[in-house]
Amino acid sequence: MSSAKFSLAAAALVVAAPALADDAALREQARELFETIPLAAPTLENNVISRDRVDLGAMLFFDPRMSRSGLFSCQSCHNIGLGGVDGLETSIGHGWQKGPRNAPTMLNAVFNIAQFWDGRAPDLAAQAKGPVQAGVEMNNTPDRVVATLESMPGYVEAFDAAFPGEENPITFDNFALAVEAFEATLITPNAKFDQFLMGNDGAMSDQEKRGLALFIDTGCVACHAGINVGGQGYYPFGVVEKPGADILPEGDKGRFAVTETADDDYVFRAAPLRNIALTAPYFHSGKVWDLKQAVAIMANSQLGAELSEEQIDDIVAFLGALTGEQPQVVHPTLPPRTMTTPLPEEM
Amino acid sequence: MSSAKFSLAAAALVVAAPALADDAALREQARELFETIPLAAPTLENNVISRDRVDLGAMLFFDPRMSRSGLFSCQSCHNIGLGGVDGLETSIGHGWQKGPRNAPTMLNAVFNIAQFWDGRAPDLAAQAKGPVQAGVEMNNTPDRVVATLESMPGYVEAFDAAFPGEENPITFDNFALAVEAFEATLITPNAKFDQFLMGNDGAMSDQEKRGLALFIDTGCVACHAGINVGGQGYYPFGVVEKPGADILPEGDKGRFAVTETADDDYVFRAAPLRNIALTAPYFHSGKVWDLKQAVAIMANSQLGAELSEEQIDDIVAFLGALTGEQPQVVHPTLPPRTMTTPLPEEM
């Protein structure tokens, strides 16, 4: 009995050996291109991720009174339960207006080279100031945000704790720093892909591994590499072939609006692909709901590659392995308004 | 030294004695009129508060895909971080429309005699079906809700677990039952008032106790009694004197729309006053932002009483002692959409 067992185990080892060798090679290749999501928030250059600052940031992130109407919070478009997006082509904002671009996720966004589809904000603090003021989004002003915060003792205390020693802690800059500190904690470790990178062969299925190999070999990694599998550089949408105006609206020239150089026509930050299976619809226009179609369009327009149905399925399976553990956040209890809190304005 | 100490203590006892006697009498009186909020959800007649059902209910409560536009969830108007309300006069709904009445809190709502300002829903399950379908709110249909839920394996599993043994667990009725089960857990125990009721003299300040005594003696308890300090019966708004149309709009006749009897003209369910300090603005019209003004109007219109500034302050202090421990809910991670999930519709 004991010897029979031994031979069975030996046989299994022989069959598994080539797969293991492939796994090792694939992992080695992948490790040169990608990085795992860490378990804890990274250190920031211009901010301190203290417990008090993160807690304050969570309050601000979930507080609809940061918008003029009182309806929208950061959470409205960057829903922590929906992979950090709103699941709309483009967001609905103040007065039922439509935003110009699909809302990107804030999950792992701290690892992006810069924020927004065109990278016009260098960090999450700068980003946080945008939607609050945008007329089609929260339609507020820095002064009104500060007045709102100053009117509530709960926020006065929370800012004191989060920015100790500052004479006047309630500022629009500190509002943005607190939101950034909270968002820096919204990272999604332990995706199957991360587990594979860390050495667990069984974490990814064969199809997912084939998809990873294809993702590398086809050239997707030219733009989608690094810790966020994208989000690290700027590239024109339509390198080889420009998609139709239904997917790439002519009016939105992307990074051109930031740099005003012709080279940046239709240039966008390569989308970070972490949790991409959760964040339909796709592209800055939000016009594509099917991840398979998105992969096919990318292969075609960026690489001139015509992928087979099977290859697309494999890559989509790999992209599914980029879904990490979603943040578990207790919804904060927000300070009650007072008689000096600005009233909501719907118009 | 020892005898000096003794006499000081004796003196203190003499001074404190009447206050202690008052506390006991006040508590006795209050216990006949009110009830403490329990620590755990109550048993429901037509529902089972299982962990699976509550978890599913939380997902549904926070899922904006329950609305046609994909923007509104239950949480939009019943914000768990804002005492269960949206802090607006009346809610903003589909297409930026305004709801007809101020959104009431779902916190402790399980203890109300019935739901909505006019009591037209007998329980929270019946209530949950209303806003989902209301054209000015979530503007959805039962069929579209069911189709949305059926399209996502995460919901199929969650309904299977929450309604075990049912052949077809995804129904609009079960949607409502799950929301009710979750909402039944949203109770706020241990308010200062509850602690006082339970025997802790020091839980309420002298002013809060004076307010409680006034609240009883002035007659507020005729309508605002029971576990929710209101929410147990129907009364005309303006028993003694009808407030102006700015506060009591003529077009909204309250319970008349439910019963169609002339006696129910301008009749509303007495507002439950638990957490009332958190839930401005006040009245079904949401026209009053100041709790002091709300108390003055009520005293005047319902009781014909002209309260002094100091008396109003005392009652408002008592009302503040009705703020309980707010629910701590982890924001649920929602199932990702699939290609069969109905697309959001903004129009």
Side-chain angles (χ1 to χ4, degrees), chain B residues 23-38:
Chain B
D23 281 350
L26 184 60
R27 177 176 301 112
E28 196 176 337
Q29 206 178 0
R31 276 183 178 163
E32 277 166 29
L33 293 162
F34 307 104
E35 217 178 302
T36 54
I37 298 281

Side-chain angles (χ1 to χ4, degrees), chain A residues 194-275:
Chain A
D194 289 309
Q195 294 178 40
F196 176 77
L197 280 182
M198 289 186 279
N200 180 354
D201 286 342
M204 279 168 72
S205 71
D206 286 347
Q207 186 184 28
E208 288 160 355
K209 287 174 195 167
R210 282 200 309 272
L212 167 57
L214 265 168
F215 191 81
I216 295 172
D217 296 343
T218 314
C220 310
V221 288
C223 303
H224 298 282
I227 186 168
N228 268 355
V229 195
Q232 308 301 325
Y234 304 97
Y235 305 93
F237 192 176
V239 177
V240 177
E241 195 175 315
K242 200 161 266 179
D246 51 330
I247 286 164
L248 180 63
E250 284 181 13
D252 186 350
K253 292 195 164 187
R255 202 162 158 76
F256 175 80
V258 182
T259 62
E260 291 191 354
T261 62
D263 277 359
D264 281 341
D265 263 12
Y266 302 108
V267 162
F268 294 90
R269 191 192 62 187
L273 301 184
R274 290 279 179 186
N275 302 298

Side-chain angles (χ1 to χ4, degrees), chain B residues 60-78:
Chain B
L60 299 169
F61 186 90
F62 281 99
D63 197 331
R65 295 166 303 186
M66 297 302 102
S67 65
R68 181 175 295 274
S69 68
L71 177 61
F72 301 106
S73 65
C74 305
Q75 160 77 2
S76 303
C77 301
H78 304 286

Side-chain angles (χ1 to χ4, degrees), chain A:
Chain A
M1 271 304 270
S2 159
S3 95
K5 258 186 191 165
F6 179 78
S7 16
L8 273 171
L13 197 68
V14 172
V15 173
L20 285 171
D22 284 359
D23 282 350
L26 184 61
R27 177 178 300 112
E28 195 177 335
Q29 208 180 357
R31 276 184 178 162
E32 277 167 29
L33 292 162
F34 307 105
E35 217 178 305
T36 54
I37 298 281
L39 291 176
T43 311
L44 299 181
E45 229 173 280
N46 306 309
N47 204 344
V48 177
I49 307 187
S50 66
R51 176 45 55 199
D52 285 329
R53 202 169 286 191
V54 169
D55 287 348
L56 170 60
M59 289 159 70
L60 299 168
F61 185 90
F62 281 97
D63 197 331
R65 295 166 303 186
M66 298 302 102
S67 65
R68 180 175 297 273
S69 68
L71 177 61
F72 300 106
S73 65
C74 305
Q75 160 76 0
S76 304
C77 301
H78 305 284
N79 192 315
I80 206 157
L82 289 173
V85 301
D86 53 11
L88 306 178
E89 284 187 10
T90 65
S91 301
I92 296 171
H94 191 89
W96 212 251
Q97 295 174 90
K98 294 269 289 173
R101 291 181 189 145
N102 180 259
T105 183
M106 77 297 185
L107 300 180
N108 308 305
V110 67
F111 300 121
N112 292 334
I113 187 174
Q115 306 302 327
F116 292 118
W117 279 95
D118 53 17
R120 67 184 184 276
D123 54 33
L124 286 166
Q127 190 280 330
K129 294 177 176 178
V132 175
Q133 299 179 77
V136 299
E137 301 186 46
M138 295 166 80
N139 196 27
N140 215 339
T141 61
D143 282 355
R144 202 170 169 287
V145 167
V146 166
T148 300
L149 296 169
E150 282 177 340
S151 73
M152 296 185 252
Y155 271 122
V156 172
E157 280 167 37
F159 271 87
D160 275 340
F163 299 94
E166 293 192 23
E167 202 176 324
N168 183 25
I170 297 187
T171 64
F172 195 52
D173 283 339
N174 282 350
F175 158 88
L177 285 173
V179 172
E180 177 179 63
F182 171 60
E183 290 184 336
T185 68
L186 303 179
I187 59 181
T188 65
N190 285 325
K192 292 200 255 176
F193 177 57
D194 289 309
Q195 294 178 40
F196 176 77
L197 280 182
M198 289 186 279
N200 180 354
D201 286 342
M204 279 168 72
S205 71
D206 286 347
Q207 186 184 28
E208 288 160 355
K209 287 174 195 167
R210 282 200 309 272
L212 167 57
L214 265 168
F215 191 81
I216 295 172
D217 296 343
T218 314
C220 310
V221 288
C223 303
H224 298 282
I227 186 168
N228 268 355
V229 195
Q232 308 301 325
Y234 304 97
Y235 305 93
F237 192 176
V239 177
V240 177
E241 195 175 315
K242 200 161 266 179
D246 51 330
I247 286 164
L248 180 63
E250 284 181 13
D252 186 350
K253 292 195 164 187
R255 202 162 158 76
F256 175 80
V258 182
T259 62
E260 291 191 354
T261 62
D263 277 359
D264 281 341
D265 263 12
Y266 302 108
V267 162
F268 294 90
R269 191 192 62 187
L273 301 184
R274 290 279 179 186
N275 302 298
I276 194 73
L278 307 181
T279 63
Y282 302 109
F283 301 135
H284 65 284
S285 62
K287 287 292 185 190
V288 174
W289 289 86
D290 186 352
L291 188 49
K292 287 163 75 168
Q293 192 194 348
V295 169
I297 289 171
M298 277 282 108
N300 228 306
S301 64
Q302 306 303 93
L303 301 164
E306 200 70 60
L307 297 176
S308 72
E309 190 80 19
E310 204 192 320
Q311 287 175 316
I312 291 172
D313 284 345
D314 289 352
I315 289 178
V316 167
F318 161 63
L319 294 176
L322 297 175
T323 301
E325 286 171 4
Q326 301 300 296
Q328 299 297 300
V329 175
V330 174
H331 194 293
T333 299
L334 304 173
R337 56 168 291 118
T338 66
M339 285 311 290
T340 59
T341 307
L343 292 177
E345 296 172 34
E346 280 143 47
M347 294 304 154

Side-chain angles (χ1 to χ4, degrees), chain B residues 192-214:
Chain B
K192 291 199 257 177
F193 176 57
D194 290 308
Q195 294 177 41
F196 176 77
L197 280 182
M198 289 185 281
N200 180 354
D201 286 343
M204 278 169 71
S205 72
D206 286 348
Q207 187 184 27
E208 289 160 353
K209 288 173 196 167
R210 282 201 309 272
L212 167 58
L214 265 168

